[in-house]
Amino acid sequence: MSNIIEIRELNKVYRDGTIALDNINLDIQHGEIISLLGPNGAGKTSLISTICGITNPSSGEVFVDGYDIKKDYRKTRKLIGLVPQEISLEPFEKVLDVIRYSRNLFGYSNDDDHIEKILKRLMLWDKKDKRIVELSGGMKRRVIIAKALSHNPKILFLDEPTAGVDVDLRIDMWKLIKKLRSDGVTIILTTHYIEEAEEISDRISIISQGKILLTENKNELIEKMGQKTITFIVETKKNLDSLAKKFDLSITKNNPLTMLNYNYKTTDDTFNEFLSDLNKLDCRVLNIDTKEKSLEEIFLDVVGK
Amino acid sequence: MNFQAIKAIYIFEMSRTIRTLIQSIASPVISTVLYFIVFGSAIGSRMQNISDVSYGSFIVPGLILLTVCLQSISNASFGIYFPKFLGTINELLSAPVSYVEVVIGYVSAAVTKSMVIGLIILITASFLVDLTIEHPIWMIAILFLSCVSFSLLGFIIGIWARSFEQITIVPDLIITPLVFLGGSFYSINLLPEFWQKVTLFNPIVYLISGFRWSFFGNADVSIGYSISAILLFTTICILIIWRIFWTGYRIKS
Ligand SMILES: Nc1ncnc2c1ncn2[C@@H]1O[C@H](COP(=O)(O)OP(=O)(O)OP(=O)(O)O)[C@@H](O)[C@H]1O
Ligand SMILES: [Mg+2]
């Protein structure tokens, strides 16, 4: 897969001295969904704003489809659709006019068939003649998504698209994002709902204090960082303390039963030994349960460092 | 050139005007008519003619310019300040639109609106006082250039401003006094010699004088000076705007 966005040594220091981006290097691949995760103030929005031309970088370079975002800004921006975190809309304009306006700004003439398709997809078609002030918050969020899609972007930035959106709509939005991906659109998503990132993204990038801490394929990340805890409920008369020490188990006794927690890693090769030791100690296994470490826990581990 | 974008900005701005039609057009017209009634008819009937022109007619060019200059500034400054205030300017910044296109879009909408207001006032005035226009083409040209230069100034103010109050500071504290003192309601030849000299530092004098010349064929300063002054002013505004966008001043963080 080739890169559609290449970010090289990007720095952003705001006028007040805040370092929002600290030497960012990141390649975004053609057609993928990548989630940027990070706590409030990590620099996610700053990164997106810089790529889109809303803020000037302090130093560094960004290439979109091979074009420099400064020198060839017309080419790069035409490829990009942006759904900003903050909803800002002209309050007294009609939905349809606002969306047409976006399309025109990107240099395209009106195409009401295309806009109709987008509005229907976002379940806004019946609201097309309403003024923005007459819409609910979730509807406004859909309007800014429609605006971003009005010029058929090849790359879509979604900065917390599901903040303040109800459960039904969120699931619809995931469907839409997956559909766009299958149409070949590259999607860069920020979210504070980790299960959302887990659900839809191909890759995950964790950013904190302006630095990218890691960028990994989602499944590999969960596998690599993820530990399983395997819980055994056993019945035995023997003392299990030495076993616990050997395999670093946590033990809870509740006569005549004992609960053992075994921390399993994929790189682990002592598990078989543990099982045979368990047998030797005459343990009768009554129940087994496994629990995987979630992306959320991985995230907290990484950011907490 | 992204003509679609220029057109979109222009139409968007004009639709804002049309939505607030009464406020946009009617109020400047009404206030101008009041000026005519008070200064032109009521007081003017007691005033002497100035260089063979009745006082009522004499003040027409000045009144038109007064309104047109202030309207141009407020149209263009609010035009660009609103998107800044609402945050919709980010869409403009992330679109494949050049600064020149943004300026053309906003300024041409402001110019259109003030031209229309200027012409409406002219037509209204022609019902109230005797008017002949000696150089109609120059009249339109000077009116147009005034609209352009003051809309550019308004654009600068809109970008500079951080609050709604700041938008009105410049027109209220600087432009209105300059227009009043620039000979809207009198010929500067009526002033004592010292004040005549001082007045020549007021750029608006050249504007009003040139505009009045296009109506009556005589003026306080020669038409060549007037045109040069307007062009100089326009050029300065363009240079400032160019600089603003170059540095991202008060637009990009
Ligand atoms: N215009 C600005 N001027 C000065 N500092 C800013 C500006 N915008 C953002 N910052 C600062 O830059 C840092 C990164 O902010 P940014 O908005 O990029 O974070 P974020 O990751 O998007 O956070 P969130 O999850 O809350 O949206 C923060 O410390 C913020 O205070
Ligand atoms: Mg953000």
Side-chain angles (χ1 to χ4, degrees):
Chain A
M1 261 200 277
S2 57
N3 297 330
I4 193 153
I5 299 182
E6 295 182 346
I7 303 169
R8 296 282 171 266
E9 289 167 23
L10 191 67
N11 287 284
K12 174 68 194 177
V13 183
Y14 286 105
R15 280 196 192 93
D16 62 2
T18 311
I19 300 172
L21 300 177
D22 188 355
N23 205 32
I24 300 272
N25 286 287
L26 180 64
D27 289 336
I28 294 170
Q29 293 160 4
H30 232 286
E32 71 171 336
I33 300 180
I34 181 166
S35 293
L36 302 177
L37 302 181
N40 288 135
K44 304 178 294 294
T45 302
S46 301
L47 179 60
I48 292 175
S49 300
T50 311
I51 299 171
C52 295
I54 293 169
T55 54
N56 287 327
S58 305
S59 67
E61 286 174 311
V62 180
F63 300 93
V64 175
D65 209 15
Y67 298 108
D68 184 301
I69 56 161
K70 265 195 170 153
K71 283 191 218 104
D72 288 312
Y73 70 93
R74 281 197 208 262
K75 285 187 183 131
T76 64
R77 291 184 194 171
K78 252 193 155 157
L79 295 171
I80 295 176
L82 167 64
V83 178
Q85 181 175 6
E86 301 279 339
I87 301 179
S88 39
L89 290 165
E90 291 271 345
F92 300 111
E93 294 290 339
K94 289 191 181 135
V95 171
L96 203 54
D97 291 337
V98 162
I99 293 164
R100 281 188 188 135
Y101 176 72
S102 298
R103 185 176 164 84
N104 295 153
L105 272 190
F106 280 78
Y108 296 99
S109 56
N110 284 337
D111 177 352
D112 285 350
D113 289 346
H114 175 62
I115 291 178
E116 181 175 340
K117 247 184 255 160
I118 294 172
L119 288 179
K120 284 190 171 153
R121 222 182 201 187
L122 288 161
M123 291 174 297
L124 276 174
W125 182 240
D126 55 328
K127 302 283 185 295
K128 66 182 191 303
D129 293 317
K130 288 233 177 214
R131 293 181 309 153
I132 300 296
V133 275
E134 297 164 336
L135 301 182
S136 75
M139 290 172 194
K140 284 184 202 151
R141 186 146 320 259
R142 280 181 270 165
V143 171
I144 61 173
I145 295 175
K147 280 164 78 77
L149 293 176
S150 68
H151 65 280
N152 276 326
K154 289 266 166 300
I155 302 166
L156 185 64
F157 285 93
L158 295 160
D159 200 350
E160 297 191 29
T162 53
V165 159
D166 68 29
V167 182
D168 276 353
L169 186 60
R170 181 169 305 162
I171 289 165
D172 275 342
M173 209 112 68
W174 294 353
K175 274 192 207 143
L176 175 71
I177 292 171
K178 286 176 180 165
K179 169 81 174 62
L180 286 167
R181 191 186 92 131
S182 70
D183 295 345
V185 179
T186 305
I187 291 158
I188 299 96
L189 173 88
T190 80
T191 180
H192 288 289
Y193 300 106
I194 308 231
E195 71 274 19
E196 181 165 286
E198 196 165 352
E199 165 74 28
I200 59 179
S201 41
D202 300 311
R203 284 201 306 158
I204 289 185
S205 198
I206 297 182
I207 171 171
S208 177
Q209 297 184 335
K211 292 194 181 75
I212 292 193
L213 301 180
L214 68 81
T215 305
E216 287 271 2
N217 183 296
K218 176 189 65 186
N219 295 327
E220 281 168 23
L221 179 68
I222 292 174
E223 199 158 306
K224 195 154 89 187
M225 307 281 293
Q227 295 174 342
K228 275 183 196 157
T229 306
I230 308 179
T231 306
F232 293 85
I233 309 272
V234 298
E235 194 179 40
T236 180
K237 299 207 172 69
K238 301 218 165 119
N239 189 320
L240 298 179
D241 287 350
S242 62
L243 185 76
K245 217 171 190 179
K246 185 170 173 192
F247 295 100
D248 195 22
L249 309 176
S250 69
I251 293 194
T252 325
K253 274 191 194 138
N254 189 2
N255 272 333
L257 304 180
T258 308
M259 188 169 83
L260 305 170
N261 283 320
Y262 181 94
N263 287 324
Y264 176 85
K265 287 188 188 137
T266 36
T267 50
D268 198 343
D269 50 9
T270 57
F271 188 58
N272 276 319
E273 196 184 337
F274 166 72
L275 286 180
S276 67
D277 281 12
L278 204 60
N279 252 337
K280 280 179 207 151
L281 289 164
D282 279 337
C283 290
R284 201 161 72 90
V285 176
L286 299 174
N287 198 358
I288 300 178
D289 197 12
T290 64
K291 192 172 154 276
E292 272 186 63
K293 201 168 187 183
S294 67
L295 185 57
E296 178 144 359
E297 286 163 305
I298 296 172
F299 171 74
L300 291 174
D301 276 356
V302 172
V303 172
K305 268 183 209 161
Chain B
M1 270 278 185
N2 183 346
F3 289 107
Q4 281 293 342
I6 298 178
K7 196 173 111 192
I9 295 171
Y10 182 83
I11 291 173
F12 209 77
E13 282 304 294
M14 292 311 286
S15 80
R16 194 206 305 278
T17 308
I18 290 164
R19 208 170 41 228
T20 54
L21 197 63
I22 305 284
Q23 196 183 324
S24 308
I25 305 243
S27 72
V29 171
I30 289 171
S31 66
T32 316
V33 171
L34 289 176
Y35 272 113
F36 276 119
I37 293 171
V38 175
F39 286 110
S41 309
I43 300 175
S45 58
R46 304 276 174 96
M47 303 273 275
Q48 312 171 342
N49 287 1
I50 299 173
S51 1
D52 292 336
V53 179
S54 79
Y55 186 70
S57 315
F58 179 83
I59 63 168
V60 171
L63 266 183
I64 293 175
L65 274 191
L66 175 67
T67 311
V68 158
C69 291
L70 293 176
Q71 280 295 315
S72 297
I73 291 179
S74 90
N75 294 338
S77 57
F78 278 103
I80 189 67
Y81 183 75
F82 263 123
K84 263 190 7 168
F85 178 72
L86 293 171
T88 51
I89 195 165
N90 284 354
E91 185 178 26
L92 220 49
L93 295 174
S94 60
V97 184
S98 74
Y99 301 141
V100 175
E101 289 152 4
V102 172
V103 174
I104 294 176
Y106 279 100
V107 167
S108 59
V111 167
T112 308
K113 197 170 141 188
S114 351
M115 279 293 276
V116 168
I117 291 171
L119 294 175
I120 289 177
I121 294 172
L122 181 63
I123 293 165
T124 316
S126 70
F127 288 110
L128 300 170
V129 292
D130 244 4
L131 266 186
T132 48
I133 301 168
E134 297 226 350
H135 310 284
I137 296 188
W138 278 109
M139 194 279 286
I140 295 290
I142 295 173
L143 186 65
F144 179 73
L145 274 176
S146 312
C147 291
V148 171
S149 54
F150 280 83
S151 297
L152 289 168
L153 178 64
F155 192 88
I156 296 172
I157 294 169
I159 284 180
W160 164 80
R162 287 212 165 107
S163 64
F164 281 99
E165 287 81 51
Q166 286 186 339
I167 291 186
T168 52
I169 280 179
V170 177
D172 284 353
L173 294 187
I174 301 176
I175 307 299
T176 308
L178 285 183
V179 177
F180 268 90
L181 299 176
S184 308
F185 300 108
Y186 55 84
S187 163
I188 59 169
N189 293 328
L190 301 177
L191 295 174
E193 199 159 329
F194 173 72
W195 288 108
Q196 276 191 37
K197 292 254 159 58
V198 172
T199 304
L200 290 179
F201 287 100
N202 177 353
I204 312 270
V205 166
Y206 300 90
L207 209 64
I208 293 180
S209 171
F211 197 46
R212 190 171 284 138
W213 169 85
S214 72
F215 279 79
F216 309 121
N218 55 44
D220 294 339
V221 294
S222 89
I223 179 68
Y225 278 130
S226 294
I227 299 290
S228 318
I230 301 171
L231 290 178
L232 179 70
F233 183 59
T234 311
T235 312
I236 292 173
C237 290
I238 290 173
L239 288 177
I240 295 174
I241 289 179
W242 183 76
R243 182 83 200 140
I244 283 176
F245 277 118
W246 191 251
T247 57
Y249 173 76
R250 294 209 178 171
I251 306 175
K252 291 195 183 189
S253 44

